[in-house]
Amino acid sequence: MSTPHRHQTRSTTATAKLSEMLQDIKNAEERLAALVAHTAAVEAQLADLQEDVAEKEATVSELDKKIKKQKTKIDSNNKALDEQLFGSDPMMDRLLDQVWAEWGYDEDSIGMRR
């Protein structure tokens, strides 16, 4: 009689362990499902951020083009004004270069081109 009782105890213990293992598997599946959902949400946020970055890069590019266009226009106007005021007199050019040098300015630091 002791053998069936011992067998029953082992069977109960094995069943309890299997039940515990199944519960662990279910818990792991739930955690995995939560991680998958979280990953999908993060991927959606990343896609939104990448779209925002692309839009901002396009805006920066547009502004950069406008700035370059304005700078070219200013440089051209400065050159035209310089020619109107001083012409192409070599002596005046040397005099202006000497004045610039004495004042410690250089053309790049003040945005003027001659």
Side-chain angles (χ1 to χ4, degrees), residues 5-114:
H5 180 29
R6 186 182 286 167
H7 176 69
Q8 187 177 13
T9 302
R10 277 192 235 154
S11 177
T12 303
T13 303
T15 301
K17 285 185 180 184
L18 283 174
S19 178
E20 186 180 321
M21 289 172 70
L22 284 173
Q23 189 59 47
D24 289 345
I25 290 171
K26 287 179 185 177
N27 292 342
E29 286 175 340
E30 289 173 3
R31 288 192 307 270
L32 180 59
L35 285 172
V36 167
H38 179 70
T39 300
V42 169
E43 287 174 340
Q45 288 176 336
L46 178 60
D48 289 344
L49 289 172
Q50 287 172 330
E51 186 177 321
D52 288 348
V53 166
E55 289 172 6
K56 286 182 178 21
E57 285 175 341
T59 301
V60 167
S61 177
E62 293 276 328
L63 291 173
D64 193 41
K65 287 176 187 176
K66 288 179 182 179
I67 289 169
K68 287 178 182 176
K69 185 177 180 180
Q70 287 295 326
K71 187 177 181 332
T72 300
K73 190 175 183 181
I74 289 168
D75 288 345
S76 175
N77 288 342
N78 283 344
K79 183 177 180 182
L81 182 60
D82 193 29
E83 286 177 10
Q84 282 180 352
L85 291 174
F86 306 111
S88 60
D89 184 357
M91 189 166 64
M92 184 58 83
D93 285 344
R94 283 192 302 275
L95 179 62
L96 283 173
D97 289 340
Q98 182 181 358
V99 169
W100 286 119
E102 287 177 15
W103 287 356
Y105 292 113
D106 63 32
E107 293 174 358
D108 291 332
S109 70
I110 60 173
M112 295 184 66
R113 297 194 188 273
R114 293 188 23 88

